[in-house]
């Protein structure tokens, strides 16, 4: 298969440089590439493998041992010094999102175990990727326990397997590269920290650059061989430069000044732990070797910090990622760099702007035949974008919020039709707090997470079942074979195990759920400034869902209809942006809100049938949009009650005289009714937890 040449990609110098650095020094720990769809993340990673030099391996070794330094604990060893060798090209091993743990780390060879009774080890993808690249596309969608295994192996350089009667440890020195789209969810901070470098990529807005992307991609699709031949010389030159830098990186001097500067920069950005300092030092040495320097200079520290610190600095989940480059410059300038007349200076050729040394035309193309142009914007466009974002945030924060009408304003005194001008306000959310866990009753079968009890692929073993998918339950398999010992007899005194005896483990763990909030954003809700507390609760629930791998959605209803303000997601940044501009005011279309929430859950049911939902309705129960609004709301509530889904109604009605409409709504829906005198953010989250306990007691009764 012909990959798109690395030197032919357009406009992604930062990504190219980060990949080159981790190739020069694999001890950096790999690269995490964050960016929107169609930004050539996959294209450029697949092209990287052609730059890696071929290497010798011990002939017949399934674990790719280096003949010069064979692994003394290799399962196929020990290897004699005079063992035959063979040359292998560098490999790019792709890990699919749906891979199992057995396929990643290796497992018991069932063929040999059931055939000859031998407890042999079958290598996994980590063994295949040894001394090469392990590429994980959409790493944020990978199960957490698999990501833990990958990052541990990448950090330690070894893979250790202790399971199913197998005890194996083998070398797994690899370059780990992961790509992700932040709109589809974030990685946990603990996992982010295990990636050495991170790069943000975005599509270029330069028309000429985008045109060049399309031109090159069309040429490649028309004749991949001819297109690759046109860049063969550039590929060889870049590969030679990579090989030269790899051999020189160990001799690069890390002076006391450079080491203290790295420590000062990491402390200035308040990163946790010491991994940031170590990774920055390694990346700075690799950057110096890449540019032909014998010692680390200021430019090397700066380049390394830009890649190694953004995902490690302390920030709230709702803060935008990135690095304050002004602060970085101040930290670098606190202690001037000592002059060294023997050290070669930085190349001043303006054409040497990227690792390919070809100027702005050397960057990635689009990601796939139907993707868009790729590459991050240059520094000027990036700074301009940040200034525009800051100005927009300032404008939003300074926009006065009109006083919402009192309860009844815009509801009972207006005509049945929505007035032409309805007072609308935009409330700001408060600081998110630690939310108590929401758990559903029963035992689910959804995707592994950290929320409700479920039968998942991970957890503690509670039984065994027939089948070939999943982890082998050895005790149950042997027990089943022993039942037929009298009819089968024994072979050489051994127990005869047949394929029909195979049993797999049934494990119970925790699943992730979908929490959908249907929030009344009418004028009566905003009159007593409740929307700020409601928004804070939603953000807090989303933060909790982010930590527990849940999905959270938001439906709002006001005026004459309802809308999906936040489609079900686990992306904290996308949620924060959606909720920041959520308006309130107007009438209360309760029926439309419930119908919209029902449709959202129906669509999500088709997408993920095993993910169980919980609907949380935040309302005072009033329905005032239309002459028959209350009757329509009752009919929709009755229909919801027949679905059997779990729900909670948060009663926001206040005042001395109450109509009890929210309580009636909860009764019709078969939901738990939680009356609140005031809509407090903490009370909302606590009420959902209380409703969980009430629901559970009702089920038991």
């Amino acid at each position: 298969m012909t990959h798109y040449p690395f030197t032919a990609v357009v406009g992604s110098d930062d990504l190219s440089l980060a990949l080159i650095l981790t190739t020069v020094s694999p001890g950096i720990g790999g690269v995490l590439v964050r960016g929107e769809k169609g930004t050539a993340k996959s294209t450029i990673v697949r092209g990287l493998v052609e730059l890696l030099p071929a290497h010798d391996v011990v002939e017949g070794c399934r674990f790719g041992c280096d003949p010069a330094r064979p692994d003394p604990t290799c399962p196929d060893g020990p290897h004699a010094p005079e063992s035959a060798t063979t040359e292998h090209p560098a490999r790019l091993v792709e890990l699919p999102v749906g891979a199992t743990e057995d396929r990643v780390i290796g497992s018991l060879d069932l063929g040999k175990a059931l055939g000859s009774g031998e407890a042999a080890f079958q290598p996994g993808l980590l063994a295949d990727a040894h001394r090469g690249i392990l590429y994980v596309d959409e790493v944020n969608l990978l199960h957490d326990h698999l990501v833990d295994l990958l990052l541990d192996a990448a950090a330690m350089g070894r893979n250790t397997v202790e399971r199913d009667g197998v005890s194996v440890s083998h070398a797994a020195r690899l370059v780990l590269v992961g790509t992700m789209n932040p709109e589809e969810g974030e990685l946990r901070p603990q996992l982010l920290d295990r990636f050495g470098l991170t790069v943000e990529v975005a599509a270029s807005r330069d028309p000429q650059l985008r045109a060049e992307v399309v031109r090159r991609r069309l040429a490649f699709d028309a004749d991949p061989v001819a297109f690759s031949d046109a860049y063969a010389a550039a590929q060889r030159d870049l590969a030679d430069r990579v090989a030269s830098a790899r051999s020189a990186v160990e001799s690069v001097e890390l002076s006391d000044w450079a080491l203290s500067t790295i420590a000062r920069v990491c402390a200035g950005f308040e990163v946790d732990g010491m991994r940031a300092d170590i990774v920055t030092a390694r990346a700075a040495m690799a950057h110096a070797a890449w540019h032909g320097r014998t010692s680390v200079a200021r430019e090397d520290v700066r380049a390394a910090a830009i890649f190694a610190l953004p995902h490690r600095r302390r920030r709230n989940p709702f803060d935008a990622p990135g690095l304050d480059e002004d602060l970085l410059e101040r930290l670098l300038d606190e202690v001037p760099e000592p002059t060294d007349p023997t050290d070669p200076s930085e190349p001043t050729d303006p054409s040497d702007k990227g690792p390919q040394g070809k100027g702005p035309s050397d960057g990635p193309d689009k990601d796939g035949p139907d993707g868009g142009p790729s590459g991050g914007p240059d520094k000027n466009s990036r700074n301009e974008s940040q200034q525009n974002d800051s100005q927009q945030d300032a404008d939003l924060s300074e926009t006065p919020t009109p006083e919402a009408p009192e309860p009844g304003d815009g509801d009972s005194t207006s005509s049945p039709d929505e007035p032409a001008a309805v007072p609308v306000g935009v409330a700001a959310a408060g600081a998110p707090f630690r939310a108590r866990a929401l758990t559903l009753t029963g035992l689910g079968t959804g995707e592994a997470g950290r929320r409700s009890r479920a039968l998942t692929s991970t957890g503690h073993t509670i039984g065994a079942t027939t089948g070939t998918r999943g982890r082998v339950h050895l005790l149950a398999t042997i027990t089943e074979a022993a039942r037929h010992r009298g009819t089968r007899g024994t072979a050489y005194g051994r127990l005869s195990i047949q394929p029909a005896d195979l049993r797999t483990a049934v494990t119970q763990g925790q699943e992730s759920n979908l929490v959908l909030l249907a929030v009344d954003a009418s004028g009566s809700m905003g009159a007593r400034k409740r929307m700020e507390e409601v928004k804070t609760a939603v953000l807090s629930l989303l933060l909790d869902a982010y930590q527990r791998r849940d999905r959270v959605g938001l439906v709002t209803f006001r005026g004459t209809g309802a809308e999906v303000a936040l489609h079900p997601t686990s992306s904290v940044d996308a949620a924060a942006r959606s909720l920041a501009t959520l308006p309130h005011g107007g009438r209360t279309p309760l029926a439309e809100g419930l119908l919209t929430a029902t449709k959202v859950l129906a669509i999500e049911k088709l997408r993920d049938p095993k993910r169980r939902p919980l609907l949380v309705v935040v309302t005072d129960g009033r329905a005032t949009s239309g002459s028959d609004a209350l009757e329509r709301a009752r009919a929709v509530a009755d229909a919801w009650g027949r679905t059997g889904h779990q729900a909670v109604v948060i009663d926001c009605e206040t005042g001395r005289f109450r109509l009890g409409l929210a309580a009636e709504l909860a009764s019709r829906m078969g939901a738990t009714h939680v009356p609140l005198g005031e809509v407090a953010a903490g009370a909302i989250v606590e009420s959902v937890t209380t409703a969980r306990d009430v629901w559970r007691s009702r089920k038991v009764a």
Side-chain angles (χ1 to χ4, degrees):
M1 179 180 179
T2 303
H3 293 301
Y4 194 94
F6 188 88
T7 53
V9 292
V10 180
S12 187
D13 296 336
D14 286 348
L15 175 54
S16 301
L17 179 58
L19 292 173
I20 289 293
L21 293 182
T22 195
T23 302
V24 170
S25 178
I28 288 174
V31 180
L32 175 64
V33 187
R34 296 164 47 93
E36 58 194 17
K37 54 185 177 294
T39 50
K41 299 185 296 292
S42 301
T43 299
I44 194 170
V45 172
R46 293 190 177 101
L48 178 66
V49 69
E50 297 182 5
L51 304 180
L52 298 180
H55 52 266
D56 293 334
V57 299
V58 176
E59 188 173 353
C61 179
R62 298 174 298 167
F63 302 88
C65 279
D66 185 354
R69 294 179 296 177
D71 182 9
T73 63
C74 177
D76 287 351
H79 302 296
E82 63 275 5
S83 298
T85 65
T86 182
E87 186 178 78
H88 276 189
R91 287 181 292 182
L92 174 71
V93 178
E94 297 194 35
L95 173 63
V97 173
T100 63
E101 182 177 346
D102 293 345
R103 186 68 187 95
V104 175
I105 64 175
S107 63
L108 181 70
D109 191 328
L110 290 180
K112 292 184 178 180
L114 298 179
S116 60
E118 179 185 357
F121 178 70
Q122 178 67 37
L125 295 178
L126 291 179
D128 295 340
H130 178 46
R131 305 171 68 189
I133 299 175
L134 181 63
Y135 173 47
V136 187
D137 193 15
E138 305 295 349
V139 64
N140 53 324
L141 303 182
L142 201 65
H143 288 305
D144 285 348
H145 69 286
L146 293 182
V147 178
D148 289 333
L149 294 174
L150 293 179
L151 298 179
D152 285 342
M156 303 300 296
R158 298 197 66 80
N159 175 39
T160 302
V161 182
E162 297 284 352
R163 58 183 300 175
D164 298 335
V166 175
S167 178
V168 171
S169 178
H170 65 84
R173 294 187 299 274
L174 49 89
V175 176
L176 180 63
V177 179
T179 59
M180 60 173 286
N181 183 354
E183 295 179 355
E184 297 174 345
E186 294 283 353
L187 280 174
R188 300 199 318 269
Q190 297 88 339
L191 304 184
L192 280 173
D193 184 60
R194 300 306 294 269
F195 280 96
L197 310 178
T198 185
V199 182
E200 297 278 344
V201 296
S204 173
R205 299 297 183 260
D206 183 355
Q208 294 182 354
L209 192 62
R210 297 173 74 98
E212 182 64 21
V213 168
V214 176
R215 185 179 299 111
R216 295 192 183 191
R217 186 70 211 195
L218 292 178
F220 175 79
D221 292 340
D223 193 342
V225 176
F227 185 86
S228 299
D229 290 343
Y231 286 89
Q235 290 281 102
R236 287 193 299 269
D237 292 342
L238 187 58
D240 292 342
R241 188 177 174 187
V242 169
S244 176
R246 285 171 69 105
S247 61
V249 67
E250 296 296 334
S251 60
V252 172
E253 178 190 2
L254 184 65
S255 64
D256 292 340
W257 171 86
L259 189 57
S260 62
T261 300
I262 291 173
R264 184 170 63 254
V265 169
C266 293
F269 281 98
E270 298 182 348
V271 296
D272 295 325
M274 296 299 299
R275 185 175 287 114
D277 302 63
I278 297 173
V279 171
T280 305
R282 288 174 175 167
M285 295 172 65
H287 191 269
W290 173 247
H291 286 282
R293 285 187 285 270
T294 58
S295 61
V296 174
R298 181 185 187 278
E299 293 81 2
D300 304 319
V301 177
R302 183 184 187 278
I306 288 177
F307 293 140
L309 299 186
H311 59 302
R312 291 187 170 93
R313 68 178 180 86
R314 289 188 178 182
R315 67 182 182 94
N316 294 323
F318 306 121
D319 295 340
L323 199 67
D324 187 346
E325 296 191 16
D326 292 336
L327 174 59
L328 176 60
E329 296 294 340
R330 291 196 300 270
L331 293 172
L332 290 173
D333 292 337
E334 284 186 3
V335 179
E337 178 183 3
T339 58
D340 185 0
T342 63
D343 192 27
S345 60
E346 177 77 6
T348 58
D349 184 358
S351 65
D352 188 12
K353 295 184 180 180
Q356 301 91 335
K358 299 294 181 180
S361 63
D362 290 332
D365 73 321
K366 64 185 182 64
D367 190 7
D370 55 352
S374 77
D378 57 24
K379 183 176 180 181
N380 293 334
S381 62
R382 182 167 61 245
N383 292 340
E384 180 181 355
S385 175
Q386 292 174 350
Q387 292 174 1
N388 293 338
D389 292 342
S390 301
Q391 182 63 39
Q392 183 179 4
D393 294 341
D395 294 342
L396 289 175
S397 62
E398 294 174 1
T399 302
T401 301
E403 184 67 23
E406 292 296 322
D409 289 353
D411 286 337
S412 60
T413 60
S414 302
S415 61
D417 297 329
E418 186 69 16
V422 178
V424 175
V426 178
F433 51 86
R434 181 179 178 84
R436 295 176 59 180
L438 314 180
T439 10
L440 295 176
T441 59
L443 190 64
T445 58
E447 182 179 350
R450 300 186 174 186
R451 181 68 61 180
S452 306
R453 293 188 309 120
L455 299 177
T456 62
S457 58
T458 59
H460 62 277
T461 302
I462 60 174
T465 185
T466 58
T468 58
R469 301 189 63 181
R471 182 162 55 89
V472 176
H473 196 304
L474 288 180
L475 182 59
T477 301
I478 294 173
T479 302
E480 182 64 23
R483 290 182 178 180
H484 307 283
R485 185 169 186 175
T487 58
R488 295 177 185 171
T490 59
Y492 304 102
R494 299 175 182 172
L495 180 66
S496 176
I497 300 179
Q498 302 297 326
D501 302 328
L502 185 64
R503 296 294 183 269
T504 55
V506 177
T507 55
Q508 178 178 311
Q510 293 178 314
E511 67 176 354
S512 61
N513 299 119
L514 168 62
V515 179
L516 181 65
L517 293 104
V519 179
D520 184 350
S522 63
S524 61
M525 295 289 292
R528 289 178 169 78
K529 304 185 184 302
R530 302 171 190 160
M531 286 307 299
E532 179 178 350
E533 286 80 5
V534 171
K535 283 188 177 183
T536 304
V538 174
L539 289 175
S540 301
L541 288 171
L542 182 66
L543 175 59
D544 183 68
Y546 158 71
Q547 296 170 340
R548 299 178 184 274
R549 318 308 291 168
D550 281 315
R551 295 176 67 83
V552 172
L554 174 64
V555 171
T556 62
F557 48 97
R558 53 175 292 273
T560 59
E563 64 175 352
V564 183
L566 175 65
H567 288 276
T569 181
S570 55
S571 174
V572 178
D573 295 334
R577 290 193 299 267
S578 298
L579 294 172
T581 57
L582 176 64
H584 62 267
R587 297 186 165 205
T588 310
L590 180 57
E592 286 74 10
L594 296 178
L595 282 173
T596 302
T598 303
K599 292 178 181 178
V600 170
L601 293 180
I603 294 175
E604 290 300 312
K605 184 70 173 179
L606 295 176
R607 292 176 177 173
D608 191 351
K610 294 183 179 181
R611 189 183 296 272
R612 294 189 294 165
L614 172 66
L615 176 65
V616 180
V617 184
V618 184
T619 181
D620 55 8
R622 301 172 66 185
T624 59
S625 181
S627 58
D628 59 342
L630 186 57
E631 292 302 321
R632 287 188 290 110
R634 289 170 175 168
V636 175
D638 291 339
W640 170 270
R642 293 189 291 269
T643 64
H645 293 315
Q646 300 185 36
V648 176
V649 175
I650 306 298
D651 189 351
C652 304
E653 188 178 23
T654 59
R656 181 177 302 178
F657 301 101
R658 304 185 182 183
L659 301 178
L661 297 176
E664 180 188 351
L665 177 69
S667 177
R668 290 178 176 272
M669 294 179 64
T672 301
H673 170 250
V674 181
L676 291 176
E678 194 73 25
V679 182
I684 291 180
V685 179
E686 184 176 356
S687 297
V688 177
T689 308
T690 303
R692 180 269 320 269
D693 299 331
V694 173
W695 184 280
R696 181 175 298 172
S697 63
R698 289 170 55 187
K699 283 289 188 180
V700 173

